[in-house]
Amino acid sequence: CEDQDVQAFLASELRRALGIAHPVQRIYETMPAAARQAAFAAFEQSGEGFDVLIVSPDAADIAAPVTAANHIVHLSRGWDPAAEDRATSLVFHLGQMRDVTVYLPQAVHPAAEQNSFDLRLDDLRQRQRRKGQSPFNIDEELTALFDLVVSEAAEAIEAASAPVQLAEPPVPPPSAQTGFRK
């Protein structure tokens, strides 16, 4: 997670919800090197049981390998897939003894489905990886992605909220009519 306020909130809530006895370690790009190394050491030496380490993707370039981790959740995803890859690679190092699972949560609006921003962003990132593009050369694609998502989501939401037209009830055949009159 990139945002330090969100990191602090997550650390507090995860500690409370999961019953972690010690403070959840956080690492971010502007953190002093000594504090960053102390946070890594505390996580690596936490021993058996469940623990959490929150790392900003921007700090991946200046971080040490984290071989005690076996699950990665990319909560906030940036435009540059290489930064996310560097953050993921922190766990895939020599000395890793466990299988590692990577999670990429995505918000999908029920009315927009495949046109949801997170799914379109993921598609853009995959194309960016395949092309080997630098994130600085994709301004036109980002603008097109944003325009497409906004227009298609608006259409889907408008269609989902349109009033339903009911057909006229069928007239029963003469044989089914009764002899009653008004």
Side-chain angles (χ1 to χ4, degrees):
C1 178
E2 293 175 28
D3 187 277
Q4 289 181 37
D5 291 335
V6 174
Q7 281 189 357
F9 173 77
L10 284 172
S12 173
E13 286 301 305
L14 289 170
R15 181 179 182 193
R16 181 193 59 75
L18 301 171
I20 299 173
H22 56 276
V24 170
Q25 299 296 319
R26 299 182 307 127
I27 297 173
Y28 43 90
E29 187 176 26
T30 59
M31 184 179 215
R36 192 172 42 248
Q37 294 307 320
F40 274 114
F43 179 77
E44 288 286 304
Q45 298 167 1
S46 62
E48 292 296 316
F50 188 83
D51 202 356
V52 173
L53 174 66
I54 299 173
V55 181
S56 166
D58 297 333
D61 288 340
I62 51 179
V66 185
T67 57
N70 63 335
H71 290 272
I72 300 168
V73 179
H74 289 287
L75 187 60
S76 57
R77 302 181 74 196
W79 301 109
D80 182 7
E84 186 174 281
D85 292 345
R86 285 189 300 274
T88 300
S89 72
L90 286 176
V91 178
F92 290 100
H93 277 276
L94 291 175
Q96 177 58 265
M97 303 300 279
R98 304 182 203 144
D99 290 337
V100 176
T101 305
V102 178
Y103 302 91
L104 304 169
Q106 296 177 330
V108 178
H109 191 283
E113 293 182 11
Q114 293 301 315
N115 295 320
S116 293
F117 181 79
D118 281 0
L119 295 179
R120 293 290 182 139
L121 174 61
D122 189 60
D123 181 57
L124 172 66
R125 293 163 53 87
Q126 295 304 326
R127 285 186 284 135
Q128 191 176 340
R129 267 194 183 97
R130 285 191 299 270
K131 289 179 184 178
Q133 281 185 319
S134 163
F136 303 109
N137 297 331
I138 60 169
D139 290 339
E140 290 178 19
E141 281 194 71
L142 287 175
T143 301
L145 167 65
F146 181 77
D147 292 344
L148 179 66
V149 168
V150 169
S151 67
E152 289 183 359
E155 290 173 12
I157 291 169
E158 184 178 314
S161 61
V164 177
Q165 296 289 338
L166 299 176
E168 292 286 326
V171 176
S175 62
Q177 294 179 358
T178 63
F180 296 106
R181 295 183 186 192
K182 291 187 180 179

